[in-house]
Amino acid sequence: MLELLCGKDPMELGMKTCEGWNITVFLDHLRSCEKCSKSQESLINKLNSIIGGEDQSEDG
């Protein structure tokens, strides 16, 4: 599960639903949250790993 730096729950924010991730809500949160915006690149990479089903930091 993706942990936000601000400590808020992605499901409560509407980012994660039973149907999947709402990317628009996720990106809006990154723009508006002071804590999460500082690690925007890291959080986006983590979400990409979750959606893609693999850790993109590993080779092969």
Side-chain angles (χ1 to χ4, degrees):
M1 178 54 107
L2 180 69
E3 292 184 26
L4 300 172
L5 298 177
C6 64
K8 294 183 180 176
D9 183 354
M11 293 185 86
E12 289 180 13
L13 293 173
M15 288 180 201
K16 173 91 169 85
T17 67
C18 60
E19 297 175 354
W21 287 88
N22 185 324
I23 305 302
T24 302
V25 174
F26 175 76
L27 294 175
D28 286 346
H29 177 75
L30 292 184
R31 282 190 285 272
S32 65
C33 178
E34 186 177 329
K35 289 183 180 180
C36 291
S37 66
K38 292 178 182 177
S39 294
Q40 180 172 333
E41 184 177 345
S42 173
L43 289 169
I44 289 172
N45 287 338
K46 186 173 268 195
L47 182 62
N48 284 338
S49 295
I50 292 169
I51 292 171
E54 60 186 52
D55 186 354
Q56 295 182 359
S57 66
E58 295 179 16
D59 291 332

